[in-house]
Amino acid sequence: MHSRKRRLSFSAFPGKDLVSIRIDVLGVGFDNLTMDEALGKAFAFMEGRNAAYAVTPNPEIVMLCREDRALLQAVNSASLVLADGIGVVKGAKLLGTPLKEKLPGIDFAERLFLPMAERKMSVFLLGAKPGIAGLAAEKLTARFPGLIIAGTSDGYFKEDAPVVAKINAASPDLLLVCLGAPRQELWMQKNAPRVRAGLMAGLGGAMDVFAGAADRAPERWRRLNLEWLYRLKAQPSRIERMAKLPKFGFAVLGKRFLGK
Ligand code: UDP
């Protein structure tokens, strides 16, 4: 067993004791945090072990929230709401309430893994097609020696109970929930009272990337804030989903200039 004392001494990130302010972007309240502050908060939640959950909405999810009250409620009830991508950051700026920075969910997880590995903390990988979480486990243990993979489970289950029982037997510090939106947000909200874990994080397609089954945009594209375009190029079938992006832009402009 790894000692709780060692974990509690963690104070490398500044966000630990920070009360963060939420910035409203079309009804979704985003935590106004830097990446380091978000990591600090994540460690505090892992220490608290209340199965708090983090969500990472992008403009597409914000637009889904406007059509789906249950999703909006699940997102706004999260303990951490991170602005996944430049669209949300630009939207917040246009609305006159800028966010400190973009906090892509996949970067958030990767930045958590290193200090977690140093402290021999554990992660359970839930989601994606059968076999993918196992592949991700292999790749992550190779990349982050010391990180404990507490278990894996694919995302195509019908009943929650056996999955929750498997997670609870492993009792991980971090539970990645990669079921895609809105399933992952609704799943985390519904199961938070019975899941034994430090923090849950809903990360969509990140598991496929960790497993090497999907590519992430190269650094240059990311620096130019063109990750969304790279994903569209790699997976043209996303075009329908991405039609929500201009709608998000118009909705932000409407809110900014017409107040609705
Ligand atoms: N997925 C899942 N169970 C489901 C539906 C989807 O595990 O019932 C997985 C899917 O295999 C993929 C991820 O959820 O790995 C969703 O990926 P997507 O690219 O849609 O998510 P995004 O990152 O865009 O939110």
Side-chain angles (χ1 to χ4, degrees):
M1 278 299 279
H2 23 282
S3 92
R4 174 111 15 234
K5 224 179 186 163
R6 192 150 43 101
R7 282 195 220 151
L8 287 170
S9 69
F10 190 88
S11 60
F13 294 114
K16 198 168 148 57
D17 304 313
L18 200 89
V19 177
S20 75
I21 291 166
R22 286 207 166 158
I23 302 268
D24 184 312
V25 178
L26 302 179
V28 174
F30 286 91
D31 285 295
N32 192 16
L33 299 167
T34 63
M35 181 60 93
D36 280 351
E37 288 167 348
L39 295 168
K41 279 193 150 292
F43 271 94
F45 287 125
M46 285 196 275
E47 288 160 6
R49 294 206 56 88
N50 289 324
Y53 65 95
V55 294
T56 60
N58 56 17
E60 191 189 321
I61 297 178
V62 172
M63 294 311 280
L64 274 181
C65 284
R66 282 161 73 84
E67 296 158 10
D68 181 341
R69 287 195 71 78
L71 175 61
L72 178 67
Q73 218 248 328
V75 165
N76 280 341
S77 303
S79 295
L80 267 178
V81 185
L82 306 180
D84 184 297
I86 194 64
V88 172
V89 170
K90 287 235 150 90
K93 194 169 173 199
L94 253 171
L95 291 167
T97 46
L99 284 159
K100 289 178 183 170
E101 56 181 277
K102 68 173 175 181
L103 303 170
I106 191 162
D107 289 340
F108 171 69
E110 293 197 344
R111 291 278 309 273
L112 276 178
F113 289 149
L114 194 61
M116 283 181 70
E118 284 165 9
R119 287 161 183 77
K120 305 263 185 299
M121 291 169 77
S122 61
V123 57
F124 190 109
L125 306 175
L126 169 65
K129 297 204 172 105
I132 298 289
L135 265 179
E138 279 170 31
K139 295 250 161 82
L140 289 175
T141 26
R143 276 179 69 196
F144 301 98
L147 183 69
I148 296 167
I149 306 292
T152 63
S153 210
D154 74 72
Y156 291 83
F157 53 90
K158 293 248 161 29
E159 301 284 325
D160 287 353
V163 175
V164 171
K166 189 171 172 187
I167 293 162
N168 287 355
S171 187
D173 293 302
L174 178 66
L175 168 64
L176 298 192
V177 183
C178 300
L179 308 174
R183 189 174 176 203
Q184 62 201 8
E185 290 78 12
L186 298 173
W187 193 92
M188 290 190 291
Q189 186 190 36
K190 178 177 162 214
N191 289 291
R194 73 200 88 164
V195 164
R196 208 175 302 138
L199 174 72
M200 299 188 266
L203 292 181
M207 191 85 79
D208 295 313
V209 175
F210 292 145
D215 279 342
R216 196 173 173 203
E219 183 62 36
R220 203 157 42 91
W221 290 64
R222 277 187 253 162
R223 239 182 300 120
L224 293 170
N225 291 322
L226 290 175
E227 187 150 17
W228 60 274
L229 184 61
Y230 186 87
R231 291 189 87 180
L232 182 61
K233 186 167 92 66
Q235 208 186 327
S237 58
R238 295 181 79 91
I239 187 76
E240 214 171 295
R241 289 172 53 175
M242 286 203 173
K244 286 213 156 59
L245 270 178
K247 284 191 188 148
F248 172 82
F250 286 125
V252 167
L253 289 173
K255 179 90 187 154
R256 170 77 174 84
F257 294 109
L258 308 171
K260 56 182 180 187

